[in-house]
Amino acid sequence: SHADFSHHVYPNPFSDNTVISFKLEQKAQVDITLFDLTGRKVADIASKRFDKGIHEVVWSFPNKILGAMTFYYIISVDGKKYSGKMIKMP
């Protein structure tokens, strides 16, 4: 069970890159997807099976997107979805 799945994003707000850290109680398929506020997919940050334990996924922001923007991410753990917001500083 992933009932106690925990994650955090730091730094948030961020300027160049951010880290998504999460802990798994058992091996699981983890998919992390980033969307803009219109619902358009911006990036597939991760999509693989992770072992039990603490993991950190670093995402570097593409330079072609300028200015401040708010995004939301969805972390799917064996199909169960968790979401949150991340803010890109200008």
Side-chain angles (χ1 to χ4, degrees), residues 16-69:
D16 296 322
N17 51 55
T18 188
V19 177
I20 299 168
S21 172
F22 57 93
K23 182 180 179 185
L24 296 174
E25 296 301 325
Q26 63 194 48
K27 189 172 187 173
Q29 173 69 32
V30 177
D31 301 286
I32 306 173
T33 312
L34 191 66
F35 297 88
D36 67 17
L37 292 183
T38 70
R40 184 179 63 89
K41 183 162 74 171
V42 174
D44 289 308
I45 296 175
S47 182
K48 69 175 195 174
R49 287 191 70 76
F50 286 85
D51 289 330
K52 175 182 175 178
I54 296 171
H55 301 277
E56 291 189 340
V57 177
V58 179
W59 187 63
S60 296
F61 200 83
N63 290 332
K64 64 179 182 282
I65 304 177
L66 302 174
M69 292 183 74

